[in-house]
Amino acid sequence: MKNNVFTAADAEAHLRAGKSIKDLPKGIILTPSAKDLFRAGPTSLTAHTSTPAAAFAEPILPDYEFNWKPGSDPKSDAEIQAFFHSPAIVELKERMVDIGKRMWAREYTDGNGGNLTIRVGDNLVLCTPTLVSKGFMTVEQMCLVDLEGKQLAGKFKRTSECMTHLAIMKRQPKAKACCHAHPPHGTAFAVAGVQPPTCMIPEAEVFLGQIGLAEYRTPGSPANAEVVGNAAVDHMAVLMVNHGVITWGKDIEDAYWKMENVESYCKTVWVASQLNGGKLLTITGGQAKELIELRKTLGMDDKRSTWTECQLCDNAGFQPGTVCNIGDGKASANQSQTALDPEAERLVQVLTEQILTAMK
Ligand SMILES: [Zn+2]
């Protein structure tokens, strides 16, 4: 310190010594940067003085995927218990509790509805308990089951709906976590039996792909596991008719984000359909193709990668008039069913002619 002027370097040394601005002698003049440092406080010092090596470290990409060595599942009761209470598994349980709170706060679940699962081994899956509000779960309530749904650990009884999650994991190895909830807008589409249209919002194309639709079966039943498991092979988000929404991802955060994506997308499409006479704008098939390519670079498959540009944005089921009439027009059962086969078209023509003749 020179001539009673207190510089940033002086302030830093002062803060590092555990002192505050109150400890300064009277009559001191603070430079502007010294004032800034005092305002930011001692917690700012680490970043302020970080070494060049730390500054150039590889940027972090958040990743919550749980990886295990194939064939390494714990076998004995004692091994399973030790695994179930290990730090890595407790961390996942904490994440499930946290996501439960987020689902409940966003009104995606009501009563004891909704459930979460995370695959943690060849034949091991963490799951949420039955009859507990997703907003008020604790780490101690989480359960461990095998892929057949047999409970292996946990004081609380596992949810019956885990059977649907397990059916998805068995059919689609990339599904390492599932999230099920009853968000109002997504569930409304499921109750109306309306498959959400495509080509309306780019992020939905990239992160969700096409949203699937699975016929109604009794929740928790083997029949429900069958239809939803089959639909989820090609769709990371599935609307369960007259029930709710189920999503999967590489980790539980990923699966939950897809739930948010579905709900937000369905809400937006619903609101937009009240505007402009219900005539919604879409991106072009070519633009959709670019998004599907982007989706693939992020490691997500898309069954639509072989579809023609015209087929990609065929939303005839949702918005009449957008039907794809070019090419073979029958790439998928999800596509428009308005294109008649030649036999039926000929029949319509014959009948029309007969009616016209009779009228004459
Ligand atoms: Zn449900």
Side-chain angles (χ1 to χ4, degrees):
M1 185 171 60
K2 284 181 191 167
N3 305 324
N4 277 5
V5 176
F6 208 74
T7 64
D10 296 327
E12 185 177 329
H14 190 78
L15 286 168
R16 285 199 183 282
K19 296 180 199 164
S20 77
I21 195 161
K22 290 175 192 154
D23 303 316
L24 288 176
K26 280 189 182 145
I28 289 265
I29 300 158
L30 291 172
T31 64
S33 48
K35 277 184 192 166
D36 286 346
L37 214 52
F38 276 121
R39 239 177 256 128
T43 49
S44 68
L45 288 179
T46 317
H48 182 72
T49 58
S50 57
T51 62
F56 291 105
E58 190 67 24
I60 294 168
L61 261 182
D63 183 9
Y64 305 106
E65 186 171 349
F66 184 85
N67 293 301
W68 67 89
K69 212 171 117 223
S72 69
D73 281 5
K75 293 282 180 304
S76 71
D77 275 356
E79 283 170 355
I80 288 172
Q81 284 300 324
F83 174 76
F84 188 59
H85 296 286
S86 64
I89 295 300
V90 170
E91 196 183 314
L92 295 181
K93 293 175 185 170
E94 284 167 354
R95 194 157 290 140
M96 289 163 90
V97 169
D98 176 55
I99 288 177
K101 285 193 186 110
R102 288 152 72 183
M103 289 206 292
W104 187 83
R106 295 192 70 137
E107 299 185 16
Y108 291 179
T109 63
D110 51 294
N112 66 306
N115 27 71
L116 303 166
T117 48
I118 304 175
R119 191 162 177 188
V120 290
D122 295 336
N123 195 20
L124 295 170
V125 177
L126 283 175
C127 82
T128 47
T130 190
L131 295 174
V132 175
S133 165
K134 299 296 114 37
F136 300 86
M137 297 188 296
T138 64
V139 164
E140 293 70 35
Q141 291 170 335
M142 298 303 124
C143 320
L144 185 73
V145 297
D146 67 15
L147 280 170
E148 301 310 312
K150 184 181 162 220
Q151 187 152 354
L152 303 172
K155 280 180 270 185
F156 281 63
K157 188 172 162 56
R158 57 104 169 137
T159 168
S160 61
E161 278 182 337
C162 76
M163 298 310 289
T164 311
H165 300 224
L166 301 174
I168 293 174
M169 290 172 179
K170 279 192 222 172
R171 287 166 178 77
Q172 175 49 276
K174 285 192 169 187
K176 290 172 78 179
C178 296
C179 174
H180 164 55
H182 310 143
H185 298 88
T187 305
F189 272 74
V191 170
V194 173
Q195 186 170 24
T198 52
C199 295
M200 293 192 178
I201 296 179
E203 279 85 349
E205 296 301 323
V206 175
F207 295 108
L208 281 175
Q210 191 188 40
I211 299 171
L213 199 64
E215 285 174 35
Y216 178 81
R217 296 289 185 275
T218 304
S221 69
N224 191 57
E226 176 83 20
V227 294
V228 178
N230 290 341
V233 173
D234 288 328
H235 302 281
M236 298 183 87
V238 176
L239 303 187
M240 299 193 274
V241 169
N242 290 109
H243 180 176
V245 184
I246 192 158
T247 53
W248 62 260
K250 67 180 180 62
D251 56 62
I252 195 65
E253 186 78 23
D254 186 28
Y256 170 65
W257 283 356
K258 291 189 173 20
M259 184 62 69
E260 286 193 357
N261 295 152
V262 168
E263 177 60 358
S264 171
Y265 187 65
C266 288
K267 189 174 181 180
T268 303
V269 169
W270 172 64
V271 174
S273 65
Q274 315 300 306
L275 308 168
N276 194 27
K279 176 73 190 146
L280 308 186
L281 303 179
T282 56
I283 59 170
T284 66
Q287 289 165 331
K289 226 171 177 47
E290 279 176 30
L291 297 172
I292 289 171
E293 286 306 312
L294 183 60
R295 182 174 160 76
K296 283 200 282 186
T297 64
L298 295 171
M300 290 180 279
D301 300 330
D302 200 308
K303 68 163 185 170
R304 302 174 297 168
S305 44
T306 56
W307 290 14
T308 63
E309 291 186 4
C310 166
Q311 290 165 334
L312 285 174
C313 295
D314 182 343
N315 283 317
F318 181 82
Q319 182 168 276
T322 59
V323 61
C324 170
N325 284 320
I326 312 166
D328 61 19
K330 52 179 178 184
S332 156
N334 290 319
Q335 293 295 300
S336 165
Q337 289 166 8
T338 56
L340 294 170
D341 64 56
E343 188 71 11
E345 260 176 312
R346 208 172 50 78
L347 192 64
V348 169
Q349 201 181 350
V350 168
L351 287 170
T352 311
E353 278 165 14
Q354 282 178 359
I355 291 164
L356 284 172
T357 311
M359 281 168 74
K360 277 177 198 157

